[in-house]
Amino acid sequence: MSMRPAADGEIPAETVRVARAAFPKGSLAIRMRDELGVLFRDEQFAALFPVRGRPAWSPGRLALVSVLQYAEGMPDRQAALAVRARIDWKYALGLELTDPGFDYSVLSEFRARLVEADAGQRIFDQVLEVARQAGMLKAPGRARTDSTHVLAAIRSLNRLEFVIEALRAALNALAAAAPGWLTFHADAAWFDRYASRPEDYWLPSGKAKRTEVAEQAGRDGMHLLAGVHASDTPRWLRELPAVQTLRRAWVQQYVLDDDGEVRWRDPKDCPPGALRLVSPYDTGARASVKRDIKWDGYKVHLTESCDPDTAHLITNVLTSDATVPDIKATDTVHDSLAAKDLLPGEHLLDSGYIDGARIVTARTQYDVTLTGPIRANTTTQATGPYGQDAFTVNWDDRTVTCPSGKTSSQWSHARSICGTPVIRIQFSQRDCRPCLARPQCIDSDTRLRRQITLRPRAEHEATKQARRAEGTPEWRDRYAARNGIEGTISQAVRVTGLRQCRYRGLAKTRLQHQLTAAAINLVRLDDWATSRPRARTRTSHLAALRPAEHRPNGAD
């Protein structure tokens, strides 16, 4: 299938006449075409198609259909029907009223091309660029970011169900690809053990019996892998994705003892969550926990402009696996915004995104001010009369003076357990051992002297300055603007189902979120063009009676 770019012609006159008569006040699709013109052109997607072959349906129009589909929460069948039957969509696409559209499977094939070329970002960025050209988007003075969990399109499995299901998936893949080979190598008992899903029969409840079932599955899986990797077996069998997944799962879940027997790993001996598979059908999904939420899947970070005199548009969307902490997304978000020339002057974040290192990096590399609460120091020596803040640091002389007037004896640069640079300071035993304040200063009877760990000077001072500013009324007024990001996430959940994957795999989930962000922006541009007021935060009757000084930040 090839792509032959079509010229961006005018909307057919009959389509215009009927659309104006049917929609005297317009619709989202009609107003979008009137305000923004042609959003996507075929030339932008030329690299996705070969030079020769049967002409494809216009990819520029397919991109617009994909965005409108998400804006209205439609599946592929309904979206294809809308192209064929809805007048306002024909107006936005510039089609004749008699145009028959396309089969719904074309949308799936188009998304596959977008995923393969990682081209979903082009659609999202193009909506922002067109909004910028129309004067509806400027480099924001302020922006805000938050994340939410995304459930993978899989069943949640415990460890025993997972290994059985991984073995079943590999056996089914081999049965479809090489039925003769599998029939010759399969154990007759496998058909009884793995023909049905593990929850279709009663798994034992006792730990010993569950371990026995798991190790039986482990032996069967090892036998299958040995057969697949045998010298007389075609090499392409071991390259099947399900077989590769089985091999990874067995490395993570089993170990060979000294006698060569397959043993079920102790849970503490399993790989960390960032590496551990949770489903044989989505190898990118990971298990994670955030407060009282446990999920298998991914995480999405949304960044939007939040200046009061401009449209609030999503300027960046970042999808990662569920185990990546928010703090690791901060610099990545800034890199992406810098590439689009959309860096804010002030970035409003919650405590999960901010630390001293990020404050310094944002200020020095991006000229961005981070505003948000800094996580408190929770160590035992953080507070009290001999807390870390009570010590005076002389950065020029590389010394620290305690509240009792004693000066440190050692100052050395080191690395924390996370690999970040730190400064370790120690006081002399001769000063600490006879000190009357030692019980208040040192939290251990076995430790002979006080030790302090500091971040590098720029990070240390940035953290102290940020903590001092947190309690001021000026800081609370600025930070109140961050509250609206929850409304954006809520809108994306209600309109497009943001928290539920439509597809499997990180690449397809990333495309889903890029189309979601483009659709939300299209809706918001329409709201801005029609002067539709933003929704206010809902306040209960009881909350409205709360005195102003006791209201949370940003509450009306």
Side-chain angles (χ1 to χ4, degrees):
M1 182 174 290
S2 64
M3 195 275 292
R4 300 175 186 176
D8 299 321
E10 297 292 330
I11 306 173
E14 184 66 8
T15 303
V16 174
R17 185 186 68 82
V18 175
R20 297 299 183 197
F23 297 90
K25 295 183 179 180
S27 69
L28 171 65
I30 292 175
R31 289 190 294 265
M32 177 274 303
R33 179 64 186 257
D34 291 341
E35 293 289 338
L36 303 179
V38 178
L39 272 180
F40 308 104
R41 291 174 169 79
D42 291 348
E43 293 81 359
Q44 296 171 309
F45 306 94
L48 305 183
F49 294 84
V51 177
R52 303 177 63 181
R54 182 169 59 88
W57 213 76
S58 167
R61 286 170 172 157
L62 286 175
L64 179 57
V65 170
S66 299
V67 176
L68 290 174
Q69 172 186 5
Y70 272 76
E72 300 194 21
M74 291 182 174
D76 288 352
R77 289 178 183 269
Q78 290 185 12
L81 180 61
V83 173
R84 184 162 53 251
R86 283 182 50 174
I87 298 171
D88 57 336
W89 278 42
K90 289 184 180 293
Y91 182 97
L93 296 167
L95 297 176
E96 295 282 356
L97 293 178
T98 55
D99 192 295
F102 53 82
D103 185 77
Y104 73 93
S105 62
V106 172
L107 287 171
S108 176
E109 188 270 342
F110 179 63
R111 286 195 302 271
R113 293 180 184 272
L114 292 176
V115 169
E116 183 178 359
D118 194 18
Q121 188 69 31
R122 300 181 199 173
I123 296 177
F124 173 64
D125 289 344
Q126 180 62 18
V127 174
L128 293 177
E129 182 58 30
V130 172
R132 195 204 303 260
Q133 294 174 2
M136 297 182 182
L137 175 64
K138 301 177 183 178
R142 292 188 304 182
R144 54 197 178 196
T145 298
D146 203 0
S147 66
T148 189
H149 61 280
V150 181
L151 303 178
I154 56 176
R155 295 179 295 117
S156 293
L157 304 172
N158 58 43
R159 286 184 66 200
L160 180 56
E161 290 174 330
F162 167 67
V163 295
I164 295 176
E165 194 63 32
L167 182 52
R168 283 190 66 250
L171 289 170
N172 281 323
L174 289 168
W181 181 91
L182 184 61
T183 301
F184 179 77
H185 288 82
D187 189 306
W190 291 2
F191 297 97
D192 294 330
R193 293 174 187 159
Y194 309 116
S196 303
R197 296 199 311 190
E199 71 271 19
D200 288 344
Y201 58 88
W202 185 260
L203 291 174
S205 57
K207 181 178 179 180
K209 291 186 177 181
R210 292 178 71 87
T211 300
E212 182 181 344
V213 172
E215 292 184 346
Q216 177 63 62
R219 290 190 293 271
D220 294 339
M222 285 291 188
H223 180 73
L224 179 63
L225 289 171
V228 169
H229 287 81
S231 59
D232 59 344
T233 299
R235 293 183 59 86
W236 60 269
L237 285 183
R238 71 189 68 169
E239 301 299 329
L240 292 174
V243 175
Q244 291 292 316
T245 300
L246 178 67
R247 183 184 62 82
R248 289 177 59 189
W250 256 233
V251 170
Q252 295 179 359
Q253 300 292 341
Y254 294 99
V255 64
L256 292 176
D257 62 15
D258 296 337
D259 298 328
E261 293 293 327
V262 179
R263 298 301 179 197
W264 186 233
R265 285 185 184 270
D266 185 90
K268 295 181 179 180
D269 191 34
C270 290
L275 302 176
R276 190 166 61 249
L277 301 177
V278 296
S279 171
Y281 305 110
D282 189 346
T283 57
R286 295 292 183 269
S288 188
V289 178
K290 186 175 183 179
R291 292 187 289 272
D292 58 342
I293 300 175
K294 298 180 181 180
W295 79 100
D296 295 337
Y298 303 92
K299 182 186 290 187
V300 61
H301 307 259
L302 299 181
T303 302
E304 70 171 358
S305 60
C306 57
D307 292 310
D309 57 343
T310 61
H312 291 179
L313 300 181
I314 299 173
T315 55
N316 191 71
V317 55
L318 172 64
T319 306
S320 66
D321 74 66
T323 62
V324 177
D326 291 348
I327 194 70
K328 291 188 176 181
T330 306
D331 292 343
T332 305
V333 170
H334 288 157
D335 286 337
S336 180
L337 291 174
K340 293 180 282 194
D341 194 24
L342 289 174
L343 278 172
E346 184 178 29
H347 200 171
L348 306 172
L349 303 164
D350 66 22
S351 59
Y353 290 92
I354 301 181
D355 62 8
R358 269 67 184 182
I359 294 175
V360 173
T361 301
R363 182 174 61 238
T364 57
Q365 294 188 16
Y366 307 101
D367 195 23
V368 174
T369 299
L370 298 189
T371 299
I374 302 291
R375 288 184 176 178
N377 188 341
T378 57
T379 62
T380 55
Q381 297 181 352
T383 59
Y386 287 86
Q388 189 166 297
D389 291 340
F391 287 69
T392 303
V393 182
N394 189 322
W395 294 96
D396 297 328
D397 295 339
R398 297 175 56 162
T399 59
V400 176
T401 303
C402 76
S404 299
K406 303 299 181 180
T407 303
S408 61
S409 60
Q410 295 182 20
W411 177 294
S412 61
H413 293 272
R415 293 273 175 179
S416 69
I417 59 175
C418 299
T420 56
V422 294
I423 301 171
R424 302 196 188 281
I425 297 115
Q426 292 187 352
F427 286 80
S428 172
Q429 293 185 27
R430 291 176 298 179
D431 293 331
C432 292
R433 294 183 71 174
C435 182
L436 298 178
R438 177 175 172 173
Q440 298 174 277
C441 184
I442 302 176
D443 59 353
S444 174
D445 294 336
T446 60
R447 188 173 298 171
L448 302 179
R449 56 185 173 180
R450 178 65 185 266
Q451 300 177 3
I452 292 178
T453 301
L454 301 177
R455 295 292 184 183
R457 182 174 185 175
E459 299 178 23
H460 179 80
E461 293 179 346
T463 301
K464 290 187 68 174
Q465 182 180 0
R467 284 177 176 155
R468 284 197 301 266
E470 281 183 27
T472 63
E474 295 79 6
W475 183 92
R476 289 197 295 268
D477 290 341
R478 295 202 320 273
Y479 189 65
R482 196 208 72 89
N483 294 338
I485 190 65
E486 285 88 356
T488 298
I489 293 175
S490 176
Q491 182 182 14
V493 171
R494 288 183 287 105
V495 175
T496 67
L498 178 72
R499 289 199 181 111
Q500 179 63 62
C501 289
R502 296 190 180 192
Y503 323 109
R504 290 174 179 172
L506 180 59
K508 293 182 179 180
T509 302
R510 182 183 296 114
L511 174 62
Q512 174 186 341
H513 294 158
Q514 290 161 345
L515 293 176
T516 292
I520 295 297
N521 282 346
L522 204 63
V523 172
R524 292 189 170 190
L525 287 171
D526 181 58
D527 291 342
W528 183 259
T530 56
S531 301
R532 185 174 301 165
R534 300 188 183 106
R536 297 175 64 85
T537 301
R538 288 187 297 241
T539 305
S540 67
H541 296 293
L542 178 61
L545 297 178
R546 181 183 298 173
E549 61 271 17
H550 297 299
R551 293 178 186 173
N553 295 337
D556 295 329

